[in-house]
Amino acid sequence: MALIVQKYGGTSVGSVERIQAVAGRVYKTVQAGNSLVVVVSAMGKTTDGLVKLANEISANPNRREMDMLLSTGEQVTIALLSMALQELGQPAISMTGAQVGIVTEAEHSRARILHIETTRLTRHINAGKVVVVAGFQGTSNAGEMEITTLGRGGSDTSAVAIAAALGASFCEIYTDVPGILTTDPRLVAEAQLMDAITCNEMLELASLGAKVLHPRAVEIARNYGVPLVVRSSWTDAPGTWVTSAQPQGRSLINLEIARPVDAVEFDTNQAKVALLRVPDKPGVAARLFGEISRQKVDVDLIIQSIHEGNSNDIAFTVTTPILKRAEAVAAAIAPALRNPSNPKSDEAEVMLEHNIAKVSIAGAGMIGRPGVAAKMFATLAEAGVNIQMISTSEVKVSCVVNAAECDRAVTALRTAFEIEAGGQGSRGAGEIECIDSPLPLCTSAPLPNCPPVRGVALDLNQARLAIRQLPDRPGMAAKLFGLLAQHNISVDMIIQSQRCRVIDGVPRRDIAFTVSQIDGESAKEMLTQVAAELGWGEVVLDSAIAKVSIVGAGMVGQPGVAAKMFEALAQHQINIQMIATSEIKISCVVAQEEGVKALQAIHAAFGLAGSEKVVVPA
C-alpha cells in the first residue's frame, strides 16, 4: 500500500461539480489500496477576490491581516471536499495548515516552512481517513501562533513538504494541463508533453516563468528525493515525472531554510574571449555563434552586456586548449561586424584573457533566496577576489575570477557555506574539481534519448536595472547585491560590461541585472539614494523587456544550441538586448512587445511542437 500526497489547484476545485469530481478521483485512489493526504488551493479565483476586497478597504493592507484573510480561501475548499468524500462513504477530515502542524518562519505573506509536526496527521491516516489539508498556509512557532502564508505557489510547496515529512511514496500535482509541456500551451497550442524531466531542468523552467510548478516545491523534492508527478485533473493520462536524487538522511528541521548550497566547484581550465563594440542590431549574435558552431568550438558561459550608444559587448569562455581556435573565429568575424557608416571608430575589437578560473556554488533555489548570491559576492570581496563575470541560475551561481585567486576563492566559499572538502584529486590541465558535501545532489545530466533543449520559457514580468560606471574593484558586487538582498529583492540575470573606462583614476564598468517588475521602482529608488555614497553613476530602469529562455541538460557540449536560438531571433528581426547563460540555460532579453513572437520562434526552431493541440480548460 502506497502513501500518496495529492495536490489540486484552484481550477481543479473551482466549482461544486469539480470538487465532486476530485472527490471521485480521491475515492478511486483509496479503493485501490492507498493511503491519501490531499492538499487543496482556494476555489477558482477566490484568492483574487479576497485581494480585491482588501484593496477596496486599504491601499496598503497590513500583511498580517492579509494572511488572516487569504488563509480563509483554502478553508472553504477543505471543508467542501471533506463533505464530498464523506458523501461517497469515505472517512475524511479537513485540517488547516496550523492543525496539520506546518510550522513556518514568522514572516507574513512569504514564510518558508521550518518543519512539520506529523503526529496528528499520521494518527488520522492510520485510522483510515483521507486528510484534506489547506495548502498555502502554516503557523509561526512563536508563542502567538500567528497564521502565515507561503506566497505564490504555496499549495505546491505545502504538498511536497508534507510528502517529504511523511516519507510518502510520491506526490501528485494535479493541474489544468496534462503535465509539463515544452512551453506555455496558451502561447503555443502545439506544446509537447514531456514524459519526464530532471529536477534541475524543472527548477530552471519554474523560475523562468513556467507556472505549472513553483520553484520552492521542486527545490524540496530535489533536496529530499520526493518522487514528483504532474498530471491533469481532467484525464487519467500518466503526466510528467520530475526525477530527483535518492534521499540520504537530510534533516527535516529547518526544511526550507537549511543549507541552500550543496557544493563548491571550480574550473581552472578557462579562458575568455570578448568582442567589444559590436553593432547593437538583430543577427550579430547569430552570426558570431553560428561561425563558432561551424568551427566546433564549445563555449561555456556567454554574456552580452547592455548597449552603450549603438554597440554592445559579447564575451564567452572556452576551455584553454581551444582558445586559439576561438580567437581565430572571433578575429575573422570582427571586421564583418563593423558599422559600415563609420568603420574606423566602431570597429569591433577582440580581447583575450588567459589565466582565469570559474568558481561556483551549487544547490537549489539560488534566485529565490537573494541572500545566497550576495553572500557569495561578499565572501569573495572579503578574500580580495575581484569578479570578472557572473552567471546565475536556480541551481548554480558562477563567477569568473583571476586563476591566481582561485584557491583563495574556493577556500573562502567553502568556509562561508560550511562545505567540507572531499574527494579532491590533483589539479591538471582540463580538469574540473568539485568540493562537495555528503548531501544528495540532483544531477543535471540529461535523461536518456532526450533532445538538448527540453523547454522554452517566457517571463513578461521582469524589469532591467542598469548602473553606469560602477567602480571595478573587489566588494562592489557584494555591496550592490547585498543591499538588494536586505530588501528581499531577488535578482535573475546579472551582466557586467567588458568595456572598462578609467574615470578620475578609477577603472569603471557598467552592470545590469533583472528583477521582478514589482520590485523595479523600489530597487531603483533605493540604489539611487546610495549611488553617490558608493561611487557609482546613474541608475536606469527599463520595465518594457521580456526574457525568453531555453533549458536543457543536454545542451552541455553542444556548441550549436546557442547559435540556433540566436538565429531564430535574427530571422524574425528580434534584437537581443542581453544574453546570459548557465550550464543548462540560455536567456535573452528582448523588447517586451516581441516576447511572445520570440518564444514561438525559438520553440519552432528546436522542433519542440507535438502533433496535437493542448486545450487548457477555462
Side-chain angles (χ1 to χ4, degrees):
M1 183 177 73
L3 172 57
I4 302 170
V5 177
Q6 294 183 342
K7 178 263 177 178
Y8 294 90
T11 306
S12 303
V13 292
S15 66
V16 168
E17 292 75 21
R18 289 182 177 178
I19 288 174
Q20 290 171 329
V22 167
R25 185 185 291 271
V26 171
Y27 181 72
K28 183 179 177 182
T29 305
V30 175
Q31 290 300 300
N34 301 296
S35 296
L36 222 60
V37 175
V38 180
V39 178
V40 293
S41 300
M43 294 174 64
K45 301 293 184 181
T46 298
T47 301
D48 292 342
L50 293 172
V51 171
K52 183 180 178 182
L53 285 173
N55 290 333
E56 289 175 2
I57 296 291
S58 170
N60 186 26
N62 178 276
R63 284 169 54 195
R64 178 193 182 276
E65 302 308 330
M66 285 299 294
D67 276 3
M68 186 69 74
L69 174 67
L70 298 182
S71 66
T72 64
E74 281 72 18
Q75 291 181 47
V76 172
T77 315
I78 59 174
L80 292 175
L81 180 55
S82 293
M83 293 175 192
L85 286 165
Q86 290 162 10
E87 285 297 305
L88 295 174
Q90 171 59 49
I93 184 170
S94 62
M95 298 179 76
T96 66
Q99 289 173 323
V100 87
I102 298 177
V103 179
T104 75
E105 303 170 302
E107 183 73 36
H108 289 293
S109 79
R110 53 171 179 260
R112 287 185 177 267
I113 297 172
L114 298 178
H115 63 278
I116 301 177
E117 303 283 358
T118 59
T119 305
R120 187 176 181 187
L121 185 57
T122 303
R123 186 172 73 246
H124 288 302
I125 293 170
N126 291 340
K129 296 178 184 177
V130 171
V131 183
V132 184
V133 179
F136 175 66
Q137 62 182 250
T139 182
S140 68
N141 61 354
E144 291 80 4
M145 295 289 288
E146 289 288 303
I147 291 175
T148 55
T149 63
L150 309 182
R152 187 177 72 82
S155 293
D156 286 355
T157 306
S158 299
V160 182
I162 289 170
L166 290 173
S169 303
F170 54 90
C171 179
E172 299 177 316
I173 305 291
Y174 284 93
T175 182
D176 54 4
V177 291
I180 298 166
L181 301 159
T182 51
T183 196
D184 187 341
R186 297 167 182 84
L187 302 178
V188 180
E190 297 82 10
Q192 189 174 355
L193 178 67
M194 293 180 252
D195 295 330
I197 188 171
T198 68
C199 57
N200 281 358
E201 289 171 322
M202 190 64 240
L203 265 172
E204 297 288 13
L205 286 171
S207 73
L208 293 167
K211 298 180 176 62
V212 67
L213 276 175
H214 195 272
R216 283 169 60 184
V218 185
E219 181 184 337
I220 296 169
R222 172 198 184 276
N223 289 341
Y224 293 93
V226 177
L228 186 61
V229 60
V230 179
R231 291 181 170 148
S232 169
S233 297
W234 323 109
T235 71
D236 292 324
T240 305
W241 284 91
V242 181
T243 64
S244 57
Q246 291 300 311
Q248 295 181 13
R250 185 174 179 132
S251 173
L252 288 161
I253 303 300
N254 292 331
L255 190 147
E256 274 203 277
I257 65 172
R259 198 182 281 276
V261 174
D262 296 326
V264 176
E265 303 171 359
F266 62 97
D267 182 1
T268 57
N269 190 30
Q270 294 260 313
K272 181 173 69 175
V273 181
L275 274 80
L276 309 184
R277 296 183 296 279
V278 299
D280 182 31
K281 63 181 182 182
V284 171
R287 192 169 182 178
L288 171 62
F289 289 97
E291 186 60 32
I292 285 173
S293 173
R294 282 187 286 275
Q295 298 300 323
K296 306 298 183 185
V297 174
D298 189 17
V299 171
D300 186 0
L301 301 181
I302 303 172
I303 65 165
Q304 176 183 305
S305 59
I306 56 170
H307 67 87
E308 186 170 337
N310 295 319
S311 67
N312 50 35
D313 309 329
I314 298 178
F316 56 93
T317 61
V318 295
T319 57
T320 305
I322 62 171
L323 176 60
K324 288 189 180 299
R325 213 171 352 140
E327 177 189 3
V329 173
I333 201 170
L337 299 179
R338 289 181 191 170
N339 186 334
S341 63
N342 194 0
K344 291 186 178 179
S345 63
D346 286 343
E347 182 177 357
E349 175 189 350
V350 179
M351 183 177 70
L352 302 179
E353 188 158 355
H354 305 260
N355 302 318
I356 63 169
K358 181 175 72 172
V359 294
S360 309
I361 54 172
M366 301 290 187
I367 292 173
R369 303 184 188 194
V372 175
K375 182 176 181 178
M376 179 185 191
F377 303 152
T379 300
L380 294 177
E382 289 167 8
V385 177
N386 197 36
I387 300 170
Q388 300 179 26
M389 293 171 69
I390 298 170
S391 166
T392 58
S393 76
E394 272 290 347
V395 296
K396 188 174 288 188
V397 181
S398 299
C399 294
V400 171
V401 302
N402 189 297
E405 298 175 331
C406 180
D407 288 341
R408 190 161 77 248
V410 168
T411 300
L413 291 171
R414 187 175 69 228
T415 301
F417 289 103
E418 300 178 357
I419 302 296
E420 295 294 329
Q424 294 181 177
S426 61
R427 181 174 4 196
E431 184 174 3
I432 299 174
E433 296 190 27
C434 175
I435 298 175
D436 49 15
S437 77
L439 296 175
L441 296 182
C442 178
T443 177
S444 56
L447 295 169
N449 303 317
C450 284
V453 174
R454 307 300 314 285
V456 186
L458 175 67
D459 192 344
L460 295 169
N461 298 309
Q462 293 258 303
R464 179 179 61 217
L465 282 154
I467 301 178
R468 301 292 186 181
Q469 301 175 9
L470 198 78
D472 184 27
R473 59 173 178 254
M476 293 311 299
K479 288 179 181 177
L480 169 58
F481 296 106
L483 280 169
L484 293 167
Q486 287 171 23
H487 289 78
N488 204 38
I489 296 174
S490 293
V491 175
D492 188 0
M493 297 172 68
I494 302 174
I495 305 294
Q496 288 178 296
S497 69
Q498 295 304 295
R499 266 179 270 190
C500 184
R501 285 189 170 80
V502 178
I503 301 174
D504 298 328
V506 179
R508 297 175 180 273
R509 299 181 191 270
D510 296 341
I511 191 166
F513 51 91
T514 59
V515 298
S516 172
Q517 277 183 358
I518 60 173
D519 292 325
E521 288 290 350
S522 59
K524 178 187 176 182
E525 182 179 348
M526 182 261 293
L527 294 175
T528 300
Q529 288 174 354
V530 299
E533 174 190 344
L534 296 177
W536 59 55
E538 182 185 12
V539 181
V540 182
L541 174 67
D542 184 359
S543 297
I545 65 165
K547 183 182 68 179
V548 62
S549 308
I550 58 174
V551 170
M555 69 172 65
V556 177
Q558 301 261 0
V561 173
K564 183 180 283 192
M565 180 184 188
F566 303 153
E567 179 60 31
L569 297 175
Q571 287 178 356
H572 289 77
Q573 290 297 300
I574 298 172
N575 195 36
I576 300 173
Q577 300 180 16
M578 291 170 65
I579 300 171
T581 70
S582 68
E583 290 174 0
I584 64 171
K585 176 184 74 173
I586 302 173
S587 295
C588 295
V589 167
V590 300
Q592 191 173 61
E593 64 269 17
E594 295 183 317
V596 173
K597 183 170 69 171
L599 176 136
Q600 292 169 341
I602 294 167
H603 192 269
F606 285 99
L608 295 177
S611 57
E612 298 180 3
K613 291 187 176 182
V614 177
V615 178
V616 181

